[in-house]
Amino acid sequence: MTHGVTAAVSSLKPEKNDANIGKVLLDLGKLTPDEAERVLRLQKQENIRFGEAALRLGFINESDIRQALSVQFEYPYLQPNEGGFSPDLVAAYQPFSKQVEALRALRTQLILRWFSEGNKALAVVAAKSGDGCSYIAANLAIVFSQLGEKTLLIDGNLRDPVQHRNFNLSEQRGLSDILIGRSDLEVITHLGAFENLSVLGAGTIPPNPQELLARPAFTDLMNKVMGDYDVIIVDTSSTEHSSDAQSVASRCRGTLAISRVNETKMHELTSLKEHLSGVGVRIVGAVANQF
């Protein structure tokens, strides 16, 4: 592992990137000014890269190097427990894991099959609760933001929302409050930890989610945010007990269908497809979630 990190550090351009990585490590709090001075002395004595010198002195570890490189190359991710977000946000905390590699592959397919055609919004829908719909929606939004796309995640699950907890939102108002005219786009939270990601929570849980999502106000909202964002991912409640997801999907015009490996039954997937096809929604892709 050390060899791989050293190779990554050594491949950087001499003066400029060496200086940059030192500054990044200082800004991240990984080095103190005194430690940086010692690193610079060793770097000069041994004629090695700044990152390699810091590793030799034991001031940083390989994880610190990866994080500094991610900042340099504008690919932000977080250290464990940083930011106070849910550990379910694997794209933020475990960007090199098997799960996130699969999410990046999914992102590529969605770009080719949907977003490259000029579409901006995608509803994420599952046949039943527990299939991982919110997990996929949240992490998909993160990987799109890491690509540099200005991304908005909307929690359209007005029955059992989780995105406000996932992203530790202090703003309690959200989608439902906009739909009844008590709030506007100012309730969208831009997350400083993710340069290109914003989240609109579900807001106050209403007694009539299906009627709210069917209002023209939801169409108006989607039209507004489509002018402001490159990618809009909308989390939804399952089709198991309500038709809320149909209303959301019809506004997005495209859907990603989620199932869980060894748990979701074929008849449940057939029912999901019928629900969506009935409102003229294109199923862009399907994910068999195993995480």
Side-chain angles (χ1 to χ4, degrees):
M1 288 295 293
T2 303
H3 176 74
V5 171
T6 302
V9 173
S10 300
S11 69
L12 297 175
K13 294 180 182 178
E15 295 89 358
K16 182 179 178 182
N17 281 339
D18 272 358
N20 282 349
I21 201 166
K23 181 180 183 301
V24 170
L25 288 166
L26 280 169
D27 291 344
L28 290 173
K30 303 299 182 183
L31 290 176
T32 67
D34 287 344
E35 289 171 341
E37 287 293 328
R38 291 180 59 186
V39 172
L40 287 168
R41 285 198 295 271
L42 179 62
Q43 179 189 12
K44 186 174 181 180
Q45 290 168 4
E46 301 291 331
N47 192 28
I48 57 178
R49 301 296 186 189
F50 186 96
E52 184 179 352
L55 282 169
R56 281 198 196 179
L57 290 169
F59 294 150
I60 61 172
N61 55 36
E62 296 167 1
S63 177
D64 297 328
I65 284 287
R66 287 196 295 270
Q67 188 180 17
L69 288 171
S70 77
V71 173
Q72 273 193 318
F73 288 91
E74 299 179 349
Y75 183 69
Y77 69 93
L78 305 176
Q79 294 297 294
N81 301 317
E82 182 183 354
F85 304 122
S86 168
D88 285 344
L89 303 183
V90 291
Y93 290 115
Q94 303 173 48
F96 310 110
S97 64
K98 184 178 179 180
Q99 296 99 307
V100 183
E101 286 295 337
L103 285 162
R104 283 194 282 266
L106 174 61
R107 177 187 65 189
T108 299
Q109 290 296 316
L110 291 173
I111 290 172
L112 294 174
R113 296 173 183 272
W114 184 245
F115 293 105
S116 65
E117 298 177 7
N119 301 298
K120 288 196 171 187
L122 183 72
V124 182
V125 181
K128 58 187 180 64
S129 300
D131 283 350
C133 181
S134 297
Y135 172 89
I136 296 293
N139 285 288
L140 195 57
I142 292 173
V143 296
F144 268 107
S145 73
Q146 290 170 333
L147 190 61
E149 301 289 343
K150 190 176 180 184
T151 305
L152 174 64
L153 171 65
I154 298 176
D155 195 342
N157 184 343
L158 301 186
R159 295 176 185 268
D160 187 22
V162 299
Q163 302 301 354
H164 63 290
R165 293 197 298 271
N166 281 342
F167 290 92
N168 195 22
L169 300 181
S170 58
E171 175 60 74
Q172 297 301 306
R173 297 168 298 169
L175 175 60
S176 64
D177 303 280
I178 292 177
L179 296 182
I180 61 174
R182 291 185 178 176
S183 300
D184 208 336
L185 299 185
E186 78 277 357
V187 300
I188 293 175
T189 299
H190 175 70
L191 297 166
F194 307 96
E195 184 177 351
N196 298 298
L197 179 61
S198 297
V199 178
L200 174 61
T204 307
I205 297 180
N208 57 336
Q210 187 173 342
E211 287 77 14
L212 275 186
L213 292 168
R215 287 185 178 185
F218 188 44
T219 301
D220 294 340
L221 170 64
M222 293 302 295
N223 289 337
K224 285 180 184 176
V225 295
M226 284 182 192
D228 295 333
Y229 295 90
D230 302 314
V231 172
I232 301 158
I233 304 295
V234 188
D235 186 12
T236 68
S237 56
S238 69
T239 59
E240 184 179 20
H241 299 303
S242 77
S243 58
D244 297 3
Q246 288 175 287
S247 296
V248 174
S250 66
R251 302 313 195 279
C252 297
R253 299 189 295 276
T255 301
L256 180 67
I258 310 298
S259 62
R260 184 170 289 280
V261 173
N262 298 326
E263 291 188 26
T264 308
K265 305 295 189 295
M266 183 58 68
H267 72 85
E268 293 169 334
L269 288 175
T270 301
S271 176
L272 171 62
K273 181 179 179 182
E274 290 173 352
H275 272 85
L276 298 174
S277 299
V279 291
V281 173
R282 176 176 161 188
I283 300 178
V284 181
V287 172
N289 180 27
Q290 58 182 328
F291 301 114

